Amino acid sequence: LTSSNATSVEFPLYFNAAPEEFKEAGSKRHELRLKALGLDQGKNQ
Amino acid sequence: LTSSNATSVEFPLYFNAAPEEFKEAGSKRHELRLKALGLDQGKNQ
Amino acid sequence: MGATIQEIGYAFLETYYHRMNKDPSKVSCLYSQTAELTHTNYQVDFTPSSDTLPTVKLTGKENISKFFTRNNKKVSDLKVKVESCDFQTTGSSHSGILILITGEMFWTGTPTYRFVQTIILAPSGYRDTFDVTNDVIRFIGDNLLPETDVKEET
Amino acid sequence: MGATIQEIGYAFLETYYHRMNKDPSKVSCLYSQTAELTHTNYQVDFTPSSDTLPTVKLTGKENISKFFTRNNKKVSDLKVKVESCDFQTTGSSHSGILILITGEMFWTGTPTYRFVQTIILAPSGYRDTFDVTNDVIRFIGDNLLPETDVKEET
């Protein structure tokens, strides 16, 4: 067991979903962010 | 050793700084956020 | 031991998240008899306007098994994006592995939730296999607004 | 043992951050002989436009001691806000304590940096005292923009 980073892994890693599937969920989070910043004008759905 | 939450602590906890001292540093972070969102017009210092 | 802690760690994560997806009732097999688990509290309805989720703490493989079985549907629907992993060796003679994970997760129809998770693997006693002894998840809010009215501590 | 893990944990954090502030050269006394530390890489200049910081991994009390002594100035200037702590017992007979911390930190003149940190305390062998066996910090970016061009994995 060493402290080397021999295993090269490219982040992000996806489990149980394709990268595209994160887009819709990510945009919902983004809407919450804009709301928190008071920047959600005309986007209330 | 139990899993109870007997110790009542109120977050956030501050170490080596008063809450007010976090304001200026926090506003710098906030400027980075606005820049990332492309909302930093007229605030470039 | 031939594999690095990174290799063991990534292989574990693959098994761990895959099993949640395919067979939640068998996730608890990955845990030690006295393991502790702090995980998403599925008994509480998700608040649509919140960017974090509450957690619940369980102790012992039996309770952990009940937890994953009871929340079968939600657990199998979990989708995970891992953005970083840090590894250290831990425990007696450094035969265990500590993993600090950051990332995002979501369930069908929900926003993404940012999380951090620490998992500790200890040698199970069987050749080259590990048990989870600790598993803690914590959700991270965006903290978007600068602090305008900071609460005073007493 | 009279104190709860929460009480021990919070008392430890008080000592830990206070000692960074007052006497960085003695922070390493809190670590076990073979402890592992992943901490802020002070040898790299902070990038003003970045919301995260790089880390570096060290093994063993001697290297940890050198690290805190070499970076004395920066370490003593560290200001920390802890937003959450999760505790679990860990290790053989659950005599150790795992702490998962989230919060923000800054140094004079810098923005705040969001971080997560996992610390493991193990009984030191002396009555009621603990050593840090593991300490990992990871900085968290804001990830503000929705994913528009997701990289494909190979």
Side-chain angles (χ1 to χ4, degrees), chain C residues 68-84:
Chain C
F68 283 117
T69 304
R70 184 173 56 230
N71 299 297
N72 191 299
K73 264 192 164 171
K74 281 278 192 184
V75 172
S76 65
D77 184 39
L78 177 66
K79 301 152 214 318
V80 179
K81 176 166 77 169
V82 169
E83 287 166 349
S84 75

Side-chain angles (χ1 to χ4, degrees), chain D:
Chain D
M1 191 170 295
T4 66
I5 56 170
Q6 284 83 2
E7 284 164 350
I8 297 167
Y10 289 124
F12 166 78
L13 291 182
E14 189 73 45
T15 303
Y16 174 81
Y17 292 124
H18 184 77
R19 197 170 292 190
M20 287 209 185
N21 191 222
K22 295 298 174 207
D23 197 349
S25 70
K26 294 214 178 90
V27 174
S28 65
C29 303
L30 300 171
Y31 291 78
S32 73
Q33 214 53 27
T34 59
E36 300 192 18
L37 170 68
T38 304
H39 218 269
T40 316
N41 187 347
Y42 289 112
Q43 301 308 113
V44 176
D45 282 336
F46 291 11
T47 312
S49 62
S50 175
D51 59 6
T52 65
L53 296 173
T55 59
V56 62
K57 186 175 169 189
L58 300 134
T59 303
K61 193 172 189 159
E62 207 180 308
N63 289 323
I64 292 170
S65 171
K66 281 181 197 158
F67 171 84
F68 283 116
T69 304
R70 183 173 57 230
N71 299 298
N72 191 300
K73 263 192 165 174
K74 281 277 192 185
V75 172
S76 65
D77 184 39
L78 177 66
K79 300 152 215 317
V80 179
K81 176 166 77 170
V82 170
E83 287 168 349
S84 75
C85 283
D86 288 278
F87 300 97
Q88 289 187 348
T89 64
T90 189
S92 51
S93 61
H94 290 266
S95 54
I97 299 171
L98 181 163
I99 315 176
L100 177 58
I101 302 154
T102 71
E104 297 181 1
M105 50 177 58
F106 76 98
W107 295 261
T108 302
T110 75
T112 47
Y113 295 95
R114 303 191 73 190
F115 73 96
V116 296
Q117 187 173 19
T118 295
I119 293 173
I120 296 179
L121 304 176
S124 69
Y126 298 98
R127 198 173 175 283
D128 284 354
T129 64
F130 290 82
D131 285 338
V132 178
T133 62
N134 297 85
D135 183 353
V136 197
I137 202 165
R138 163 67 64 171
F139 292 95
I140 304 277
D142 281 326
N143 288 14
L144 278 186
L145 295 176
E147 299 177 70
T148 44
D149 49 330
V150 175
K151 272 174 253 163
E152 283 292 315
E153 269 186 299
T154 45

Side-chain angles (χ1 to χ4, degrees), chain C residues 56-67:
Chain C
V56 62
K57 186 175 169 189
L58 300 135
T59 304
K61 192 172 191 160
E62 207 180 308
N63 289 322
I64 292 169
S65 170
K66 281 180 197 160
F67 172 85

Side-chain angles (χ1 to χ4, degrees), chain C residues 20-139:
Chain C
M20 287 208 185
N21 192 222
K22 295 297 175 207
D23 196 350
S25 70
K26 294 213 177 90
V27 174
S28 65
C29 303
L30 301 171
Y31 292 78
S32 73
Q33 214 54 348
T34 59
E36 300 193 18
L37 170 68
T38 304
H39 218 268
T40 316
N41 187 348
Y42 289 112
Q43 302 308 114
V44 176
D45 282 335
F46 292 9
T47 312
S49 62
S50 174
D51 59 6
T52 64
L53 296 173
T55 59
V56 62
K57 186 175 169 189
L58 300 135
T59 304
K61 192 172 191 160
E62 207 180 308
N63 289 322
I64 292 169
S65 170
K66 281 180 197 160
F67 172 85
F68 283 117
T69 304
R70 184 173 56 230
N71 299 297
N72 191 299
K73 264 192 164 171
K74 281 278 192 184
V75 172
S76 65
D77 184 39
L78 177 66
K79 301 152 214 318
V80 179
K81 176 166 77 169
V82 169
E83 287 166 349
S84 75
C85 284
D86 287 278
F87 300 97
Q88 289 188 349
T89 64
T90 188
S92 52
S93 62
H94 290 265
S95 54
I97 299 172
L98 182 162
I99 315 175
L100 177 59
I101 302 155
T102 72
E104 297 182 0
M105 51 177 59
F106 76 98
W107 295 262
T108 303
T110 75
T112 48
Y113 295 95
R114 301 191 73 190
F115 73 96
V116 296
Q117 186 172 19
T118 295
I119 293 173
I120 296 179
L121 304 176
S124 68
Y126 298 97
R127 197 172 175 283
D128 284 354
T129 64
F130 290 82
D131 284 339
V132 178
T133 62
N134 296 85
D135 183 352
V136 197
I137 202 166
R138 164 66 65 170
F139 292 94

